[in-house]
Amino acid sequence: MAVYFDHRIEAPESSEVPSQLTWHSALTLLAVASSSSTAGGNIDLYLQQGELVESCHTERPHQPTVLRWHPTKPVLAVGWENGEVLLLTYPSGDQTVLPNTHTAPISLLEWSSSGSRLVSGDQIGALAVWKMDARGRLQGNHQVKHEYNKPLTCCIFRPASPGDDVAMLARASVSGDESALDMFSWKGAPLKMGPQEGLAFYVSTADGKVHSVDEHGKTSMLLGVDGAIKKLFYLQTRETLAVITETLMLSHYTLGLEGGAQEFTKVKLSGKSGQNVDIVWTENGLLITATGEQFIRLWDLERDENHVLSLDETLGFEKGELINCVSYCAGKEILAGGTNHGRIAIWRMVVPPDSNRSDTKAQWKLQTPTEIEGNVTQLQWGSNLNLLAANNSNAVLILHEHVMSMHFSQQVAAVQLTPTQLSVTNFNTGVHLALQSDMHIKGVCVTKDSVTVWSGKQVNVYELSGTVLRNTGSFPCDSHIVAAHGENLYTVEPNRVQIRTPQGTVKQLLTFSKVEGNPVLLSVCQSYLVVGTDTAHIRVFDLSRRDAKAHCSAKNLAEQIANVGALRSVKCSANGSQVSILISQVNGRPDQKVYFYDVEMDTVTHFDFFIGRPSSGVSQPEDSERQQFQGTELSGRCPVTHFWDECEPRLFVCETVPISSESSSSTYLDTVDVSVVTLFCSQEHGLLLQDCYPKPTGLQALLSLDVPYYYFSCKPGDMDPGTAELSATSAPPNQPTKGLGDQVPHMVSRRALRDFVGLENCEKSTRDAMLNFSFYLTIGDMDEAFKSIKLIKSKVVWENMARMCVKTHRLDVARVCLGNMGNARAAKALKEAEAEPEPEARVAMLAIQLDMLEDAEKLYKCCQRYDLLNRFYQTSGKWLQALETAENQDRIHLRTTYYNYAKYLESMGDKSAALIYYEKSGSHRVEVPRMLQDDIPSLEIYVNKMKDKNIYKWWAQYLESQSDMDSALGYYERAQDYLSLVRVHCYMGSIQKASEIANNTGDRAASYRLARHYEGHDDIKQAVHFYTRAQAYNNAIRLCKENGLDDQLMNLALLSNPEDMMEAACYYEEKETHMDRAVALYHKAGYVSKALELAFATQQFSALQLIAEDLNENSDPALLARCSDFFIKHSQFEKAVELLVAAKKYHQALELCVSQNLTITDELAEKMTVTDSKDLSEEARKELMERIADCCMRQGNYLLATKKYTQAGNKPKAMRALLKSGDTEKIIFFANVCRQKELFIMAANYLQSLDWRKNPEILKTIIGFYTKGRAPNLLAGFYEACAQVEIDDYQNYEKALDALTEAFKCLSKVKDSVAGQQEARLADLQHKITLIKKFVHARRLYSEDAGEAVRICEALLEEPELDPAVRVGDAFGFLVEHHCQRGNFQAAYRKLEELQKMLPSQNISYYISQASLQALQKEMGLPTNHSDHRHTVKEDDEVEEDLNVT
């Protein structure tokens, strides 16, 4: 709550009745216009305390009509009755008269948003626009002048369109928005860096016209309405224009881009129209009007909503009091209204925690009124937000808002009612007094014997004696804060604290150094005084002696606390060991922490309400879940007040609000979401959270903590019922203190601590025991907790402790408490609740037993046990909450909840609602007929309405019980209950109708019922038919056997189960007829052995064929063998083999395959592959696999043979089989998988048979396999073969040389061969290599030294064993080519002749080029057929040779 100190302005004597007032929008300057009918008028400026600015006094013989402040500069525009416009400058008082433009009274003055333009208008329609400089001085004559010929009423400037948000555009550009990126480049339009001043405006006239004037001064008529226009408003969020006429007609227009206006809303505002209507428009679209009625009206144009705010007589307003004027403070969201009885009503916007500011209903909270004299005709909030100017027709008053003063100490409480009144309550004596002071009370301090008030200039001391307040002292003092202890007063002045007597005599001085600063905060608790300075130092003094002694040295909190700006509040514990501190940060915002200074340990700790945790010493580590839950309640908050208990030094309490509300300390009192937090503070255990609960509704601020109560200030009428015993007593009229009469409002309310509910009047020993119990319980020391209460016998105490256990989640303590209470029912319920896994659920059951239903509900929600919460709501009768919980969180019990609610509604007699919830629960088919059984007409209507088969059936049964068979048949038919239809028809003798129903519907139950009827009437054929349709085959079979219906018996048995088939087969076997049917039935029933035995006995070969097809490995081996013999005899060998394999006689099956030359398929081979060692030993299994593989080899199935050889472990044979298959890929794969030398060699030998010359991969594989097989001799042989191929096919002696070199290397690695053979082979290889090297050398040398090359070649021809290494033809060819190139054809011919003699059968063209041969023929004159003949012979030989090879 807040109180308002009123300061009457220091008006000069020449001033008459004030007519107008206006605050500057940025400065604390108030302009007041006064006028009289005879002397003219004057203008005066005043400061915030009402001080007159004499230099700015202005007088004229004319009346002032309009006042308008410049938006930023201290320049006031004044319009006079004679048409003069004056600019008055503060503080110099300079006056600038605008050029004479107007000749009629000025009716409007309006500045643009930045003050660069001033618009003036008069009563005859003349309008002028003036240009001003940056200092608010006139620049030349008017820029624009228009004549509208009608009185001008209103003018508003249209705000400029907002500029581009550069930060938003930058983010959009980075994210890829090309249009935003273009705005930063030369491509796009110029970027507007911010809003520009809007120079266009709208002006209205008395004939209902609104004209638009653009920034160039051009005017155009925008719109017209009926009647004179009283107000113009521009709604910037929607870019619309609102027009209000004298008759309170509101019209809303949208403004087009080209200057047009379109009306989209028109409404008549309620209220009395006339000149006294006060209209206020807020930026968020709220229209507020005061029309001289008992309430004010609010219209929300954004949401098209409206409501009224009326006065409350319980707060001090009178009946019939009228509101004349209103003013709205947007910064503080406060609405002020002035009444005709001199009161100012204040409404403050209160936002509930679960809503937002856009919801306007039930948010305006009326405060206690401020009273001034006279009739309030005008109100206006100042730029300071704490200043309100009021005009009561006789004078102007400036109201300063101050936080309401209050104090509590030693069971005495004082709360400020008005600027000069206090409400004093003595809780020890029950006396309630009122104190009326002759000064504005800025602070109050009480002790058990005195009340001290001060105004910042004066201190008054009153003695509290019984029911009387007596003034015992008064002295001037400039101290802004005062503390009291005993008979001493403590005041502050720079660098010291004064200790005074009640009469003001200074007894002692407590000095502070310059470093320690000036004292600004004082607080007394018991006999300790704590002082806080403006440099964030604190000092504690002991007041228990005659003179105050320092209890500790000065502590500089700036060294311990980071970012400290100033101290907000300091408080001391009862024994002086702890000091709690609230601070403001450097930026001026309140800190979210409460700091604790331990005087003895000289340490600073804190509790952070932003995170809901202390800096250290978190209590109850084993109760982490509870701490986490409570931490969530405390997080995101800020402390605003704090107190220590006056007797218990460990107990501390503070009041916290959400962080969004803490910035305005004067308004937090009206905040809904306020929490009261209690802590234990000790050196051993740190800060321990004891309790946290929301401030009760209707209470204002926390006053103090004095066990067993919290003390709160409250509004008049909201007093706690517990304080009703306090008598309202006022001081007698003859006393110095002025009484308030019998109606003294109670302003203090108290609430018991959680641990003392029910123990408010207990004795001190019990109180101390409960405090110790609570403390030890908080720290988790159960032994000490029980020691502290073991002597207490009161059940009330134990019940209260049990309630504490709900808050602390200590079920072990709760069991002891319940035992001492003798509450067996609660103890039993708590024991049953131990089955719940969540601790909160168990605690909730305890809370229910103690009737703490709100706590139980909260606990169930915390642990998310919505099933238990649902049950709790049901048992509590909160059915709407139960239904909501079931529908949203506990859907598994949704239908059960519907059912229980329906039962509840039925018990309450609300059958129509119960019917709905029975339907939702799905139990309506049973419950609704039961519920309506006494109301048959309603039940019949319900049955026909629901069209439900189950309900139809129930109703039909009811009608049948009433012998209404025809109606019953109709409802049975609707219910499609064919059994009941057939039953009733049989009962009524309508057998044909029953048969039709059974045949048409195929209903088994109906058919069975009809079959029984036919059987009872010996109609066997029809009975069998309907038994068959009912699938009751055993009954049909029974009738067939009894009546010899053998043909039907077979079909029925095949349709029935194996037991019935067995009985039918036995029946046929006993009759020795239709043995084939008996065999088939035995087989179908699964009795294969019996079927085979009977088939063999009766030579049923076709049946045997069918039976054998169903035999498998699970059949009897003897039976399989017998069947196989049967098939062998009848030459069905493949079937016999399958049966032998199924009988696991694999060898016989294999012999049969071999003897009968049966192909072994993959499937058969797999069946013969034994995997279980129980059937065959490992050796026998391998032998069987090899025999299977051998058989596959004979049949040419090499791949299957490979598989079986591999399964037998004989990989060489598997490789041989694979080699025969010729599958190169599988051969290579198999060799790589097996990795055996023998297999590598076999694979390499096979690969040599392929065309490895054209496939390099095969060549690499051969070399790799020989290498892996460690067969260097074979590899050497392969290299030799490669060399020979290179020589024979390609005459590539270079590659041949490389291959032979590799062969020599490989052969050199052979160790186990016979030494002589290896040496001979190596020598042979070496000889070949030498010869080839010489021939290759000769070829290479020929280009450089042909003679030497020829000599080497001729020498080679002399070698005895040249040909295996170097072909003779190649050597002679080399020489022939040489001689031909030299032109020595005679020598060439001789070499050719030698070649033909050595190789008579060879084709010489193979060794000599065709060009050389043709040259020889031409030069030597040889016949052409010489070489051709030989060539033909050679070709024939080659063909022959090729054919032989092929």
Side-chain angles (χ1 to χ4, degrees), residues 17 104 157 302 321 394 554 694 712 768 1000 1070 1112 1144 1157 1227 1297 1367:
V17 178
F157 277 84
E302 290 279 356
E321 196 165 355
N394 297 320
F712 294 92
D768 294 340
N1000 293 335
E1070 290 174 358
N1112 52 38
K1144 299 182 180 180
N1157 196 21
I1227 291 170
L1297 179 61
R1367 293 188 303 184

Side-chain angles (χ1 to χ4, degrees), residues 5 64 176 353 611 749 760 809 943 1124 1156 1175 1200 1249 1324 1380 1444:
F5 294 169
I611 60 174
S749 176
E760 294 86 352
H809 293 204
V943 169
S1124 64
Q1156 300 299 328
D1175 297 333
L1200 185 57
S1249 65
D1324 183 51
C1380 287
N1444 290 335

Side-chain angles (χ1 to χ4, degrees), residues 669-712:
L669 301 175
D670 296 307
T671 304
V672 176
D673 186 13
V674 179
S675 294
V676 179
V677 181
T678 310
L679 303 172
F680 278 117
C681 181
S682 67
Q683 289 183 355
E684 297 82 5
H685 303 95
L687 302 174
L688 310 171
L689 179 62
Q690 193 263 348
D691 191 18
C692 172
Y693 81 104
K695 184 182 71 176
T697 305
L699 302 185
Q700 291 290 327
L702 182 66
L703 266 178
S704 185
L705 168 65
D706 192 1
V707 175
Y709 290 109
Y710 298 110
Y711 290 86
F712 294 92

Side-chain angles (χ1 to χ4, degrees), residues 51 304 309 372 463 614 973 1123 1231 1348:
E51 303 96 330
D304 294 330
L309 300 178
I372 60 176
E463 180 183 1
E973 187 173 356
C1123 290
E1348 181 62 24

Side-chain angles (χ1 to χ4, degrees), residues 935-1239:
D935 188 0
I936 300 302
S938 299
L939 179 57
E940 184 175 4
I941 293 172
Y942 179 77
V943 169
N944 292 321
K945 174 186 174 183
M946 290 304 295
K947 299 180 181 179
D948 186 275
K949 293 180 181 180
N950 293 290
I951 299 178
Y952 279 147
K953 181 178 178 180
W954 186 93
W955 183 244
Q957 290 172 344
Y958 171 78
L959 293 175
E960 184 181 354
S961 68
Q962 301 297 317
S963 300
D964 190 355
M965 296 299 181
D966 294 334
S967 299
L969 285 173
Y971 281 100
Y972 278 135
E973 187 173 356
R974 293 185 191 180
Q976 297 180 3
D977 186 1
Y978 304 114
L979 171 61
S980 298
L981 283 172
V982 169
R983 176 177 54 78
V984 174
H985 279 301
C986 289
Y987 171 77
M988 297 174 65
S990 304
I991 306 301
Q992 186 63 32
K993 183 65 175 176
S995 299
E996 290 178 4
I997 292 173
N999 283 322
N1000 293 335
T1001 61
D1003 188 78
R1004 293 174 58 185
S1007 299
Y1008 184 83
R1009 177 69 180 79
L1010 189 57
R1012 291 292 301 271
H1013 178 81
Y1014 277 121
E1015 184 181 358
H1017 289 77
D1018 295 330
D1019 192 344
I1020 303 301
K1021 183 177 180 181
Q1022 289 294 332
V1024 170
H1025 169 70
F1026 284 106
Y1027 275 135
T1028 304
R1029 287 188 63 86
Q1031 298 182 17
Y1033 301 115
N1034 53 351
N1035 286 310
I1037 290 171
R1038 173 178 57 79
L1039 289 180
C1040 289
K1041 288 165 62 176
E1042 292 175 356
N1043 295 278
L1045 303 176
D1046 294 348
D1047 294 336
Q1048 295 186 32
L1049 177 61
M1050 179 65 181
N1051 295 330
L1052 291 170
L1054 290 174
L1055 294 172
S1056 188
N1057 53 42
E1059 289 78 9
D1060 292 334
M1061 293 180 190
M1062 185 71 176
E1063 290 182 7
C1066 292
Y1067 171 77
Y1068 283 122
E1069 187 179 3
E1070 290 174 358
K1071 292 186 67 174
E1072 296 183 355
T1073 58
H1074 304 295
M1075 299 301 287
D1076 55 340
R1077 296 181 181 177
V1079 172
L1081 287 172
Y1082 277 129
H1083 177 212
K1084 189 73 173 177
Y1087 294 91
V1088 181
S1089 57
K1090 179 66 175 177
L1092 283 172
E1093 181 180 350
L1094 191 58
F1096 281 122
T1098 57
Q1099 296 296 310
Q1100 299 283 337
F1101 299 114
S1102 58
L1104 280 172
Q1105 292 277 1
L1106 295 173
I1107 296 172
E1109 292 178 357
D1110 293 338
L1111 297 177
N1112 52 38
E1113 63 274 9
N1114 297 323
S1115 303
D1116 185 8
L1119 190 63
L1120 293 170
R1122 187 174 178 186
C1123 290
S1124 64
D1125 293 341
F1126 173 79
F1127 286 116
I1128 291 173
K1129 289 179 182 180
H1130 291 82
S1131 301
Q1132 295 188 13
F1133 302 110
E1134 293 181 356
K1135 191 65 180 177
V1137 168
E1138 291 180 4
L1139 293 176
L1140 287 173
V1141 170
K1144 299 182 180 180
K1145 295 185 178 182
Y1146 306 111
H1147 293 284
Q1148 294 180 18
L1150 194 57
E1151 290 175 359
L1152 185 59
C1153 289
V1154 174
S1155 62
Q1156 300 299 328
N1157 196 21
L1158 298 178
T1159 301
I1160 298 179
T1161 62
D1162 291 352
E1163 182 181 359
L1164 181 59
E1166 287 301 321
K1167 289 182 179 179
M1168 297 173 70
T1169 301
V1170 181
T1171 57
D1172 194 351
S1173 60
K1174 296 179 181 179
D1175 297 333
L1176 286 176
S1177 63
E1178 185 65 22
E1179 293 77 9
R1181 189 187 71 82
K1182 289 182 178 180
E1183 180 187 357
L1184 176 62
M1185 293 297 102
E1186 288 199 16
R1187 290 189 61 187
I1188 296 173
D1190 293 340
C1191 186
C1192 292
M1193 286 288 288
R1194 287 194 295 272
Q1195 294 176 358
N1197 194 347
Y1198 301 115
L1199 294 177
L1200 185 57
T1202 301
K1203 184 176 180 181
K1204 296 304 164 186
Y1205 278 133
T1206 304
Q1207 290 176 346
N1210 195 337
K1211 293 182 179 178
K1213 282 190 175 183
M1215 177 57 84
R1216 292 188 188 97
L1218 200 56
L1219 292 175
K1220 284 190 176 184
S1221 70
D1223 192 333
T1224 303
E1225 291 185 5
K1226 290 185 178 179
I1227 291 170
I1228 295 173
F1229 176 77
F1230 189 70
N1232 284 322
V1233 170
C1234 294
R1235 304 191 67 80
Q1236 293 183 4
K1237 293 191 293 182
E1238 181 182 0
L1239 301 188

